[in-house]
């Protein structure tokens, strides 16, 4: 929420109201769909996890209200105009893919690993046509962020 000052106080102490005052309000939503699946390779000991997140884009309303005064010495507003615009920005569309595993090392110790190898393939960020070195392609695809989470229950 952004708005202009209501009045300015000059050196002589009298209030000089702004003839126009603008209020801006932005209300936005960014819907996200998330899907996940788990496969128990060894039930109770080891499971494979994969998932995807799809961000559709940013949508919302931009509201601009402008109040005007004919007399800058009066605090009363003479007219108000409001513009409401709905927008959808599809350039924010994105997908992410994760794969990983969960290992149950005992009743109180669990290790979760996440590896986002599928992101590189999904976003087509590997250009195979201009690369003559197969090992560079392998590095681009397989050298990705690998995260671990160890949980110990006390």
């Amino acid at each position: 929420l952004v708005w202009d000052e209501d009045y300015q106080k000059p050196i002589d102490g009298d209030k000089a109201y702004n003839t126009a005052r603008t209020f801006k309000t932005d209300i936005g939503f960014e819907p996200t769909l998330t899907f996940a699946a788990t496969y128990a390779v060894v039930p109770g000991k080891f499971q494979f996890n994969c998932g995807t997140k799809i961000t559709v884009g940013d949508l919302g309303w931009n509201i601009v209200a402008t109040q005007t005064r004919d007399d800058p010495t009066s605090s009363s507003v003479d007219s108000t105009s409001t513009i409401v615009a709905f927008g959808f920005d599809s350039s924010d569309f994105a997908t992410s893919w994760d794969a990983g595993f969960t290992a149950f090392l005992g009743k109180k110790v669990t290790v979760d690993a996440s590896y986002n190898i599928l992101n590189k393939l999904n976003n087509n960020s590997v250009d195979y046509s201009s690369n003559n070195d197969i090992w560079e392609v392998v590095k681009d695809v397989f050298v990705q962020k690998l995260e671990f989470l160890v949980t110990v229950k006390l």
Side-chain angles (χ1 to χ4, degrees):
L1 179 63
V2 179
W3 65 86
D4 295 334
E5 294 286 329
D6 188 20
Y7 64 88
Q8 298 172 351
K9 195 170 188 176
I11 296 173
D12 63 5
D14 292 335
K15 291 180 182 177
Y17 288 90
N18 293 329
T19 55
R21 180 170 62 170
T22 304
F23 298 91
K24 299 175 184 174
T25 305
D26 292 333
I27 302 170
F29 301 96
E30 191 172 289
T32 302
L33 302 171
T34 305
F35 301 98
T38 299
Y39 175 71
V41 179
V42 179
K45 296 291 182 190
F46 187 81
Q47 65 187 25
F48 176 73
N49 308 313
C50 65
T52 184
K53 179 171 82 170
I54 302 168
T55 303
V56 181
D58 185 23
L59 59 107
W61 293 267
N62 299 332
I63 305 164
V64 178
T66 304
Q67 296 177 343
T68 55
R69 295 178 178 84
D70 294 334
D71 182 7
T73 61
S74 171
S75 64
S76 63
V77 175
D78 294 314
S79 66
T80 301
S81 68
T82 303
I83 300 171
V84 179
F86 177 79
F88 176 67
D89 185 5
S90 63
S91 67
D92 291 343
F93 178 84
T95 60
S96 65
W97 297 80
D98 284 310
F101 65 86
T102 303
F104 303 97
L105 303 179
K107 289 183 178 182
K108 297 188 177 194
V109 179
T110 305
V111 176
D112 287 303
S114 176
Y115 184 52
N116 63 355
I117 183 175
L118 299 174
N119 280 335
K120 198 73 163 179
L121 298 174
N122 180 60
N123 294 331
N124 298 320
S125 58
V126 178
D127 183 9
Y128 301 109
S129 62
S130 64
N131 198 338
N132 295 327
D133 186 1
I134 186 65
W135 296 114
E136 284 295 318
V137 173
V138 170
K139 179 187 75 82
D140 283 343
V141 172
F142 290 103
V143 177
Q144 296 297 320
K145 179 174 62 173
L146 179 62
E147 299 174 317
F148 289 97
L149 172 67
V150 178
T151 306
V152 178
K153 297 178 185 176
L154 299 176

